[in-house]
Amino acid sequence: MAHSLLILPGDGIGPEVMAEVRKVIDWFGTKGHAFDVSEDLVGGAAYDAHGTPLHDDTMAKAQEVDAVLLGAVGGPKYDVLDFSVKPERGLLRLRKEMDLFANLRPAQCFDALADFSSLKREVVAGLDIVIVRELTSGIYFGEPRGIITENNERVGINTQRYTESEIERVARSAFELAMKRNRKLCSMEKANVMESGILWREVVTEVGKDYPEVALSHMYADAGAMQLCRWPKQFDVIVTDNLFGDLLSDAAAMLTGSLGMLPSASLGAPMANGRPKALYEPVHGSAPDIAGQGKANPIACILSFAMALRYSFDLGDEATRVEKAVETVLADGLRTADLLGEEGKSPVSTSEMGDAIVAALAAA
Ligand code: IPM
Ligand code: MG
């Protein structure tokens, strides 16, 4: 049976980078790996069509497929909308209702791009870390929340809240990943100022007893941010909460040279087929300033599809092929505009990059 994949291109550069992923998917189709692909709207695009950033039918479809691949959501056009229908709410609903609690954000520095990082080559060359971000709880979803009036002034409220079981399941995902990698896990919170951080540290330590081979360490998240910039190669897997993970993963992404390179996988509990419920998306946003101009880098989205091949479709070798093809085109000197910096070369367009990656796949 063909693997089912729901594609949600979304807003801004989402549709144009997704068009390049389609080329990769079609190429695999000619090699005996057919995917049953359907496409739908999310974010501002869904709001424009239906008045909601995620239609119930789309939500239902997302629950049924083997994997969801999302482009990006948001844009200045939607800034005026009420909070409850902002494009981001569509993405957050998908994460929450699919219960995608473990968000894997790899930050890998491709050798061809090591000089492009804002940090020195020796600090980032060979960097290969993964941030496991808790994705369905914490301050993003905690109650009470809102803007209330108290003593004649407005008060903005959000609540950081974690149950033991929420911490335990994401910790377990991180330990499992660490077991498949270098058996090193660093947990980050702020146990020095937050009770939720104290509990986080206790539960992670407890789960760690089931993984005696994994060297577990703990760091306050602010110190972690500093260490990520100072010497990121000290880390292998990092596990942290929803908000700290949001911040730390953007910082980690920039170490590698460009946000346009990094994929992510958001994984939930196993489905009937034994594979986790999953949504894949680039770490970058909708980049409205360059949308529709052929300037976007499709690599993050293509690598997100590679993660889908590995985690949802059990096609690890095919995932590696895609990653190798990306490495090849970068080593050949191909650069989209985001990767040019001082190099003084002329950029290739989004679709030229996609074509080159497919050509590299075919040549391998
Ligand atoms: C991310 C983004 C999202 C988040 C936004 C778009 C809701 O920044 O995936 O990192 O804050 O989680
Ligand atoms: Mg973010």
Side-chain angles (χ1 to χ4, degrees):
M1 229 178 60
H3 299 295
S4 57
L5 180 66
L6 173 62
I7 289 189
L8 303 172
D11 307 323
I13 60 171
E16 55 200 286
V17 296
M18 203 59 90
E20 303 313 307
V21 179
R22 282 285 195 148
K23 293 178 185 169
V24 174
I25 294 173
D26 290 346
W27 183 82
F28 275 109
T30 68
K31 299 290 159 202
H33 297 295
F35 296 90
D36 174 9
V37 182
S38 51
E39 192 167 317
D40 212 329
L41 303 171
V42 71
Y47 179 83
D48 289 339
H50 307 301
T52 164
L54 187 73
H55 196 281
D56 289 345
D57 292 348
T58 317
M59 186 66 242
K61 237 188 271 176
Q63 298 282 20
E64 280 162 19
V65 290
D66 295 325
V68 180
L69 185 63
L70 185 140
V73 294
K77 176 179 163 198
Y78 306 105
D79 285 350
V80 294
L81 292 185
D82 185 72
F83 184 74
S84 63
V85 289
K86 281 209 193 297
E88 290 77 5
R89 303 311 302 170
L91 174 57
L92 293 171
R93 180 175 174 201
L94 280 165
R95 290 174 179 173
K96 187 69 176 173
E97 291 192 22
M98 293 172 76
D99 204 17
L100 306 171
F101 59 87
N103 179 214
L104 276 44
R105 297 193 160 185
Q108 229 176 323
C109 184
F110 288 85
D111 199 59
L113 299 180
D115 291 316
F116 193 72
S117 170
S118 51
L119 299 190
K120 295 191 190 87
R121 171 175 264 276
E122 71 255 31
V123 178
V124 296
L127 179 71
D128 179 6
I129 64 177
V130 183
I131 295 183
V132 180
R133 168 189 178 193
E134 198 292 323
L135 202 61
T136 51
S137 184
I139 203 159
Y140 271 58
F141 297 98
E143 299 282 347
R145 65 185 300 163
I147 300 176
I148 62 165
T149 301
E150 218 176 65
N151 303 325
N152 290 323
E153 66 171 346
R154 287 176 303 156
V155 184
I157 300 172
N158 290 94
T159 304
Q160 168 85 334
R161 193 191 137 89
Y162 270 107
T163 64
E164 284 183 273
S165 53
E166 286 169 339
I167 302 168
E168 187 193 327
R169 63 182 187 171
V170 72
R172 223 164 263 291
S173 301
F175 276 107
E176 290 292 336
L177 182 64
M179 285 297 289
K180 292 194 199 114
R181 294 174 48 102
N182 294 325
R183 305 189 168 189
K184 221 167 91 176
L185 177 65
C186 182
S187 170
M188 298 188 186
E189 27 57 18
K190 276 186 67 75
N192 50 344
V193 288
M194 297 165 75
E195 284 81 356
S196 59
I198 295 175
L199 186 68
W200 183 280
R201 191 175 282 220
E202 278 178 19
V203 174
V204 172
T205 304
E206 197 57 36
V207 174
K209 291 182 185 153
D210 293 341
Y211 300 88
E213 299 100 321
V214 176
L216 171 66
S217 60
H218 303 274
M219 220 178 252
Y220 297 140
D222 53 345
M226 185 264 283
Q227 291 296 342
L228 262 179
C229 303
R230 191 184 71 85
W231 191 244
K233 284 186 259 187
Q234 70 187 280
F235 298 112
D236 192 65
V237 180
I238 292 172
V239 63
T240 189
D241 77 12
N242 203 342
L243 183 60
F244 293 144
D246 184 40
L247 306 179
L248 293 169
S249 64
D250 263 30
M254 206 53 224
L255 301 177
T256 69
S258 169
L259 217 46
M261 300 291 302
L262 298 181
S264 80
S266 304
L267 307 177
M271 300 184 286
N273 68 4
R275 302 263 133 203
K277 215 167 240 201
L279 179 145
Y280 301 86
E281 55 175 318
V283 172
H284 65 66
S286 61
D289 52 322
I290 60 162
Q293 301 167 35
K295 288 185 183 168
N297 184 349
I299 290 179
C301 205
I302 288 173
L303 291 176
S304 298
F305 175 65
M307 289 187 92
L309 289 172
R310 181 171 290 121
Y311 293 110
S312 286
F313 304 138
D314 209 9
L315 293 170
D317 291 344
E318 286 70 15
T320 307
R321 281 184 81 164
V322 175
E323 289 156 359
K324 286 253 155 39
V326 168
E327 242 170 82
T328 302
V329 301
L330 291 174
D332 287 348
L334 256 71
R335 302 282 184 271
T336 40
D338 57 312
L339 301 177
L340 273 177
E342 318 279 284
E343 286 177 59
K345 293 183 194 145
S346 54
V348 298
S349 69
T350 310
S351 72
E352 284 167 334
M353 182 58 99
D355 290 341
I357 290 169
V358 172
L361 267 173

